[in-house]
Structures are given as structure tokens and as C-alpha cells.
Amino acid sequence: MAELTHFYEKFQPAHYNIYLDINRETKQFSGKTTITGDAKTTAISIHQKFLNIETVQADGKDVPFTTDDANEAIQITLSKTGETTLTITYQAKLTDTMMGIYPSYYEVDGVKKQIIGTQFETTAARQAFPSVDEPEAKATFDLAIKFDEHPGETIISNMPEVRTENGVHYFDTTMRMSTYLIAFGFGELQSKTTTTKSGVKVGVFATKAHKADELDFALDIAKRSIEFYEDFYQTKYPLPHSWQLALPDFSAGAMENWGLVTYREAYLLLDPKNTSFEMKQLVATVIAHELAHQWFGDLVTMKWWDDLWLNESFANMMEYVAVDAIEPDWHVWEMFQTSDVSAALQRDATDGVQSVHVDVEDPAEIDSLFDAAIVYAKGARMLVMARALVGDDALRKGLENYFAAHKFHNATGDDLWSALGEASGMDVGAIMKTWLDQPGYPVVTAKLADGQVTLTQNQFFIGDGQDAGRKWSIPLNSNYAEVPELMTDKTITVADYDKLRAAHGTPFLLNVGNNSHFIVQYDQTLMKDILQNVDQLGAISQLQILQDLRLLADGKKTSYATFAPLLPRFANSHGNVVNAALYRAANKLKQFVTPKSAEEKQLKAFFNQLSSQQLARLGWTPKAGEANDDQLMRPYILSAALYAENAAAIKDAHQLFTDNADNLGGLSADIRVFVLRNEVKNFGSAELFDNLLNAYRQTADASYKADISAALTSTTDPQLIAKLVEKFEDADTIKPQDLRAWFRGVLANDDGQQAAWDWIRNDWQWLEDTVGGDMEFATYITVIASVFKTSTRLAEFKAFFEPKLPTPGLTREIKMDISVIESRVNLINEEKDAVNAAIAKAVQK
Ligand code: BES
Ligand code: ZN
């Protein structure tokens, strides 16, 4: 039910005393919560969900109340307004939903164990304690927790423990903060700690299933990130400690609870001796993201959930700003280009996509509006654009003022825009609104005629799209300074092209740096000029050409048949981002060939042509001291070579497998997945399958687990596929948090697709019961839409999902996904023959 009034309007908490008694054996807990606050009216509402309320007292006297589950509330009638102390006692259950207070399961030396953790954002604090569970209802909290404690167990929370009495752990009073940021965790934990220059204690906590050195990388990044933010924000980290806790079961990726950030194990812990550089960068950005929130989100919090995008977009930008500052040699912004930028451009081109900012009243809608490619990736891109407009000095100054003005309180997006506006003297808010409040983005066409270039903006669509006549204020970022900085009209012209071309001596380009959210369609003359000079262009510009042409081909503004023959020109680049864009485009060609056909053979030959020189250059074994780019691009090359069935690559991978058969986890993490996949696909057996599945169950190394999953799901043996699908619902083997990757692997495997598709349709109810409460639920449908490409599958998809259109939280996803599959099916039908002819021709060259 829609929540029309905020509970905060009726009762404003100032302080909570929360006592919890948690029993892991019985999976029950009891609680007593005392809230002191200001009653604005006598009929007040307090949030609760799944709590069995026993008594409610106001100022020590029983008062009438009803539990109102439809509104996740307790309705209470007071005898007076003004300062009131509510005392509520209750009982509740611990459930395996990864929401509220919940157990995480793991094994050490074959012994099953659990630790308890919490996840309260967006609205699950009310599952742990009655509260005004809204971000604006900031208060201070005294937490006291008792549990069925055994020797050697540890409990941690937002604040340090001040004393233990009769088995009850008392924590220091928190700062004024929002309910969704409260957290605690307990069990058999190991930890490592250090101290920042400014005296903040930093720690990393994990179960004892991990080796101690797996905590080191995170500790170092966390410490340096906090030091960076204290300087960048010119605002001290306001708590005595910053704990990072890895939980074996975790529904999101990580969560910025103030002073106690929680993570998926895969996003915090890593083997420092054998983890790919890519994974290290990812873990560093996740930590930097959550620590960015300690200020932006925790110290100053959005007033209401409609500004959640701002929290997340901002942290998503800052994760790159921070990691780039502490590890400049990593060039981490390149990762932003290959992951966030491409995700945003793809998703934002489908009609029906949400805008970054959406008005939302009902918090239940929040989770369903949480499209990561938009809220995180596009949102971060918008802020990158804003940062480029105002510059870093104004950004820092503006943020410092913003924190000073709103700390321990709440703010809106407009408060941020006015702080940045004041610091920069620019109306950034006005420019940004065209991007934030409208869905989609423009393609700018550049046409040369009669000596002038005409630039025109139109909304870009992949698939059918209704042109609503949208316009954007586009920072053009041309390499020709004569081109205006900002394009606000639909069409503009640039005069004297020939003179400009001669004066600049380089081809005409727009969106240099790829930081504005638009793509460019150059006409033939301009494109020819670019391609003739492609080697002079930087890696990002090359990436852009490949990225924009691929999108334009998806949107039928050019064709894959003309695009495919251009790919070999980029094949020997030493730039990782160029290879990322190249293979993303090349992999799209796979959709045009039927498995095991003559065309597929041609395409494999084409992949061999693209990758063979680089394969010879890079080889299978990472070389000591090699360039970061080489290390990052090797996976693209190996993957292409194996797809191409390059005999030498298959042989080398098999040899590596044989040489390391006793310790497969010890294979270099940069190439391990390819060795394992090659073995399963080309030399597979039931025995190998069982060995790998056992290794999956036993290892605590998340990277190794992911590699095994990718290898096993590529099997071509129908019996093994059936065995895999059976494991989908066995949480002792595949945790629900990891299931989507397994499902995707089998579905994307030509020999496994039918089994995976049957499974999800038959067991949809099980899936909904298991991960239905979760934001990830809808993304199972996205996964299906990213794979399907035939009209039969489209019809089956519609038959299954159209009846589910009314399900809250799935409506938009299903509509968009039908459009995504439909446009792919049409594209393949129309272009298949031409594309395959073009590939055959390119291979003969
Ligand atoms: N605050 C979010 C997690 C979240 C968002 C939980 C909305 C519940 C509702 C956290 O800061 C976050 O963004 N986590 C990301 C990982 C991040 C590093 C990109 C996630 O969970 O995907
Ligand atoms: Zn976040």
C-alpha cells in the first residue's frame, strides 16, 4: 500500500535504546526498544515488519495499539503530544532472506558454521526493531545485544563496545543517523586492524574459512581511501572506527552501514598472491564506493528515497576518483569506460527505460526502480559530466560546504546543486536536469555538406522507440575549439570545415574522452577521415569508434555487415580498452551464426585472424613486470583464440591443466578460467566434473569459485548439464547469492539453454520464494533477455512472462526485455546473410 504520509511527520525520534536477545539455535530473537521522541499528534505510527509485538507503553503506561501489517506499522494512540518515551517489546524470527538480521552459512574443515549479520537498506531495519524507519528520522542509538555466545566469538557494530555485563554487549551511543545504516555482526571472526594518519581505527573482519592474508588488500585500500576522502572532502571521518565485514551470504554487493560496512566475500577478500589485476581493481572500487558513502549518504543523508540515485551515482563516481588518486598507475577510469559507460549506453537506448531521477512515494517501489545500469552507471556518468563542467576545485569546495551545512542531517539533490553552483558560479543544476529527469540519450549526427558540418541531436533507440522530441544540453567536447562547448538546440552548424581540418591537422571528433552521455554518427566523409588516421588516435577514441558503431548497428543506423570488416584494423592494439570494445563488438557477431554451421566455422576463422598475432605476443603465461594493459587484455585474446578453436591454444591450455592438476586453484588467476573451460569443453569427463564441483564447494576463494562456475557451465554433455541444473536449488553447493551466474552460464551455453530455460519456468515459484525479496530477482529476466535470439524463444518468453506483467517490480523489466529480444530477432533476420557474407570475405583476405 502506498504510504502517503511519512511517519516522521507524526513522531520524531531523538534517541533509541535497543536491546536484542538473539538465539541462533532456535532462530528466534526477542527485543525491547525504547524510543524517546516528539509526538506531533496523538495517533502515531511506528514501523515494524514481521515482528510479533507484545507490549507497547508510553511513558511507562500501557497504551492502545494495533499491528497493521499492510502498512508495516504499529498504530499507537497516545494520551498527549510532545516529548514521549515509547517502550515496545516483541519477538521475531531469523530467516534466510538476507534481509534484517540473518544468518550466513559457511564451512571450516567440513564443519558447518554460521555468523549473524544485518542488511537494513532500504526498509528492513523495521524487521529488527520498531522504529520510524525513514531516512529523515535521524536519531542517536544505544545498542545492547545478547546472543547464545560461545568462547572465541566476537561481536561488532557501528560503534565500539563499551562494556559487557551478564553476557550483554553494550555499544557506545551513535552519532545522529538514519535507521537503515545501523548494523551489527557476530560469530567466530578473524580480523586485521590499522590506524589512519588522523587516528581512525580501520579493520577488516571475516570468517575463519579464509586465510589471514586474504584480509590484507582490503585493509590497505580502506585505510588509504579514508585518508583520501578526509582530504578531498576536507571533512574528518566522524566515527572512532571503520570496520569492513565480509558476510558469506549477502544479497547486494556491499552496504555502507556507518562504521560497519558489510560486503560479499568476493568484494572484500582476496588472495594477494594469486588474484587477477581486474579483480583487485574491482574490490578496490567497491571498498572506495562504500567508504565514499560514509560522508555522502551517512553523514549527510538524502531526505527521502527519491534521491537514492544521488547517493549511489555519487558514490559510483567517487569510487573511481578515489582509486585513481591512491593508485594512479592503474588508470582505473578505463574500467569506468569498459564497464559503466557501456552498460549505461546499452540499457539507456531501450524505450521504456527509467530516468535517473524518478519521483517515488512508496518505499516498496524503490527496489523495483533500482535499475543499476541507470541509477549507478548513467548516474555516475552524469556526475562525471558535472565534475568536468565545474572542475575539481569547485567540486571540493562545494562538497565541503555541503557537508558543513547538512552534517548529521538530511539534504536533497537541489541542495547539492546549489552548493556546487555557488562554488563554481555556474547553474549546474539546470544543465543536469535535462539528463536526470529524461530517459534516454541522443545520437548526434555530423554531416559535411557545402563546406560546413551540421550537427543534429535525436534520441537514440535500439529497437522500436517513440520519438518524444527530447532535447539535451550536450557538452560536445570537440577536438576543434571552434565548436561550441554546449549544444542546447536540436541543430547547429560549424562553418569553414576545410579550413578547420587544415588548421588542426587531425580528423574532426566529438565527445573526446567519452565523458558526455551521447554517441556520434559521422557521415561517410568524416568517418573515412577518422579511419584513415585511426592509429594516431588515443585508446579512448578508438574505443569510442568501436562502441558507437556497435550501438549504431544495434540501432540499425548502420549495419553489422559494414562494421565487421573494420574490426581487424583494431586487432593489434596494445590498449586494453580498445580490445575490450573490439571483442565486445566481435562477440556480437556470434548472434548471426547458427551453432555448428558452416557460417560458425567462418566466424571462428575470423576470430582466429583477429587474435592470432596477439596470442603469439602475449602467450598463456603472464610475464613478470608486463604492462597492466597486457595483463588486462590477455583474457580477451585467450577467449577469442579458444572460441576460434586455435589448435595451439587448446594444446597449451591442456598442457597447463595437466601440469597443475594437483593444485588447479594455484593456476594463475589471470588465465585459470580459460584453462578450466578448455578442459571441460574439449577434454571433459564425469570425473573432472565431480572434481571441479568438489573444489567449488571446498574453496573459500571467490575468484576461483567464479572460474569453476564458468568452466562447469560450459560443458556440452547433456547428462552433466542435467546434474548441474539439479544443483541450482542445493544451497550447500550453490548459494542463492551466486545462482544467477550459474544460471546465466548454462543458459548461454547452446547445449544447456533448453535445460536452464525449462528449469526457470518450472521452478519460478521456488526462485521467487528464495530471491524474490531481492533487487536481483528482476535481473534474472534481464539475463534471459541478454541471451535469447530466435523467434521461437521470443514467443516462449512472451508466453511465460506476459502473464507476469502485473507483478510489481517486474512490469518495466518484462516490457523492456520483450523489446530487447524482439529487436535482436529482427536484426538477425534482416542482416544474417549480409553479415555472414561480409565475414566470409574478410576471412579470405
Ligand atoms: N547502498 C548500496 C546497496 C543497496 C542499495 C542496498 C539499495 C539496498 C538498496 C551500496 O552502497 C551499493 O551501492 N552496493 C553495490 C556495490 C557497489 C560497490 C557498486 C551493490 O550492492 O551492487
Ligand atoms: Zn552505494
Side-chain angles (χ1 to χ4, degrees), residues 314-477:
F314 190 85
N316 203 24
M317 169 177 73
M318 288 310 297
E319 69 190 56
Y320 292 99
V321 174
V323 174
D324 191 42
I326 64 177
E327 292 288 353
D329 294 342
W330 289 3
H331 303 292
V332 75
W333 282 105
E334 293 191 350
M335 187 166 122
F336 183 73
Q337 290 292 342
T338 55
S339 60
D340 300 55
V341 170
S342 79
L345 288 170
Q346 190 76 36
R347 181 83 173 170
D348 205 21
T350 303
D351 205 10
V353 70
Q354 67 170 87
S355 51
V356 174
H357 177 252
V358 185
D359 282 324
V360 46
E361 247 325 295
D362 184 351
E365 276 176 23
I366 287 283
D367 292 352
S368 74
L369 281 174
F370 221 70
D371 182 337
I374 300 304
V375 173
Y376 286 79
K378 181 181 178 182
R381 231 179 163 213
M382 303 301 97
L383 293 174
V384 166
M385 243 161 49
R387 179 183 180 216
L389 284 169
V390 303
D392 247 8
D393 288 345
L395 176 66
R396 294 172 68 148
K397 189 77 218 146
L399 285 171
E400 185 185 346
N401 294 341
Y402 174 83
F403 291 129
H406 304 290
K407 62 182 172 191
F408 307 113
H409 289 269
N410 300 75
T412 62
D414 287 337
D415 291 325
L416 179 71
W417 299 135
S418 63
L420 295 185
E422 250 167 62
S424 66
M426 240 169 124
D427 190 357
V428 249
I431 298 172
M432 296 315 294
K433 286 230 152 73
T434 66
W435 295 98
L436 298 168
D437 293 340
Q438 305 190 95
Y441 64 91
V443 50
V444 173
T445 52
K447 284 206 173 92
L448 176 61
D450 306 327
Q452 65 174 23
V453 179
T454 305
L455 303 179
T456 310
Q457 58 162 306
N458 283 296
Q459 185 168 358
F460 176 68
F461 294 108
I462 296 175
D464 290 339
Q466 289 242 316
D467 198 324
R470 297 193 173 101
K471 264 192 313 180
W472 288 266
S473 300
I474 310 176
L476 286 172
N477 298 329

Side-chain angles (χ1 to χ4, degrees), residues 92-236:
K93 285 199 183 81
L94 301 177
T95 55
D96 295 336
T97 54
M98 299 186 267
M99 300 284 172
I101 306 171
Y102 70 92
S104 270
Y105 303 99
Y106 65 102
E107 276 183 33
V108 182
D109 301 329
V111 183
K112 289 189 177 174
K113 308 208 169 206
Q114 53 168 292
I115 55 173
I116 297 290
T118 56
Q119 171 60 40
F120 291 166
E121 191 180 17
T122 44
T123 55
R126 65 191 67 172
Q127 296 183 36
F129 53 90
S131 48
V132 178
D133 191 15
E134 294 168 355
E136 195 180 359
K138 286 197 175 186
T140 51
F141 294 82
D142 279 333
L143 214 59
I145 300 174
K146 185 169 183 250
F147 61 102
D148 49 346
E149 190 169 349
H150 305 297
E153 293 192 304
T154 312
I155 179 163
I156 50 178
S157 184
N158 307 82
M159 296 294 285
E161 185 173 328
V162 281
R163 64 178 201 283
T164 316
E165 238 172 66
N166 303 324
V168 183
H169 299 265
Y170 293 86
F171 294 92
D172 212 350
T173 310
T174 69
M175 300 288 174
R176 201 169 176 276
M177 66 186 284
S178 303
T179 46
Y180 79 92
L181 294 167
I182 295 288
F184 59 84
F186 59 81
E188 279 176 25
L189 298 173
Q190 61 172 321
S191 64
K192 289 206 177 171
T193 57
T194 182
T195 308
T196 65
K197 277 187 249 164
S198 62
V200 180
K201 268 186 131 176
V202 180
V204 176
F205 294 75
T207 72
K208 292 180 179 168
H210 297 275
K211 292 198 259 347
D213 66 357
E214 288 178 48
L215 284 60
D216 294 344
F217 180 81
L219 187 65
D220 172 57
I221 297 288
K223 168 180 184 281
R224 290 191 292 136
S225 296
I226 292 173
E227 289 170 349
F228 168 77
Y229 289 127
E230 287 195 323
D231 173 55
F232 190 86
Y233 294 148
Q234 287 294 302
T235 306
K236 248 198 75 57

